[in-house]
Amino acid sequence: MSAPLVSILLPLHPGTAAKPAVLSALAQTWRPLEILAAGSTIPAPLRDFCAAHPEVRTVQTAPNADPAAAALDAAQGDYLLFLDAGDTLCPDAVAALLTHLLACRADVCAGQFAVGGRAPAGDGLCRLYTAVPDAALFPDLCRAGGKLYRRETALQTQFGSGTPLPLTALPQPVRLALLQQPLVRTPAAPAQPARSRRSILLRCLPR
């Protein structure tokens, strides 16, 4: 029996450097694999780079089209992983997610995120939920990418603006496997400038 094909869906957005994400997808230990980079504006250097790798396909969309929906329509894999263009995958991310998804007979498997180079203290265990858990306890669930879906589950999920919504958008009932292992690297959010108490008070005073 041949190994299942996994599709990594990479919606492209203007101003986001996507080559590191593509490189991290190509570096996956799992095969077979296809990578779909979809967007209305695909820079020529990225297009040329993708064309040099048979596992990568670019999907050109209309200016107002949803890049993730276009990637989903073009995907041929039995299992689909969404990846934000600004994030990168650890080399064993697909293999770990798929292994635990199959072992748990889950519909979706999600790992942890390492934010700004800081990895969470995961215990490496995988826990199965038959209802969507409280997102406050699992903040990574609200991130757009980094989740591996069975194809039929992805096709039934209520996606919004091209990326997975919080898991309440999943079809119910759902079997969700949560792997306590950092598998996706994401940059830290830029620090917001601190506001003085005086500036806050001035904004609250009536004019």
Side-chain angles (χ1 to χ4, degrees), residues 2 58 66 78 115 126 128-129 141 157 187 198 207:
S2 59
T58 56
D66 181 349
D78 300 307
V115 181
C126 189
L128 179 67
Y129 296 82
L141 292 182
T157 299
R198 180 175 180 275
R207 296 183 178 179

Side-chain angles (χ1 to χ4, degrees), residues 134-204:
D134 186 353
L137 300 178
F138 301 96
D140 287 343
L141 292 182
C142 294
R143 295 181 181 274
K147 302 182 187 72
L148 183 72
Y149 296 76
R150 290 185 185 271
R151 182 180 186 87
E152 57 270 24
T153 304
L155 294 176
Q156 296 175 44
T157 299
Q158 300 174 19
F159 293 107
S161 302
T163 51
L165 294 171
L167 291 179
T168 51
L170 289 169
Q172 300 298 323
V174 66
R175 291 172 63 87
L176 171 65
L178 297 183
L179 178 58
Q180 300 299 302
Q181 179 181 343
L183 297 174
V184 185
R185 306 182 190 96
T186 190
Q192 297 296 323
R195 293 176 177 172
S196 67
R197 291 184 62 187
R198 180 175 180 275
S199 66
I200 295 174
L201 286 172
L202 285 175
R203 291 188 61 187
C204 295

Side-chain angles (χ1 to χ4, degrees), residues 2-7 30-34 75-80 98:
S2 59
L5 175 66
V6 175
S7 300
W30 180 268
R31 291 297 185 276
L33 191 74
E34 69 168 0
Q76 299 176 359
D78 300 307
Y79 301 90
L80 312 175
L98 184 56

Side-chain angles (χ1 to χ4, degrees), residues 106-124:
D107 302 307
V108 183
C109 188
Q112 292 178 305
F113 281 71
V115 181
R118 294 185 176 183
D123 56 18

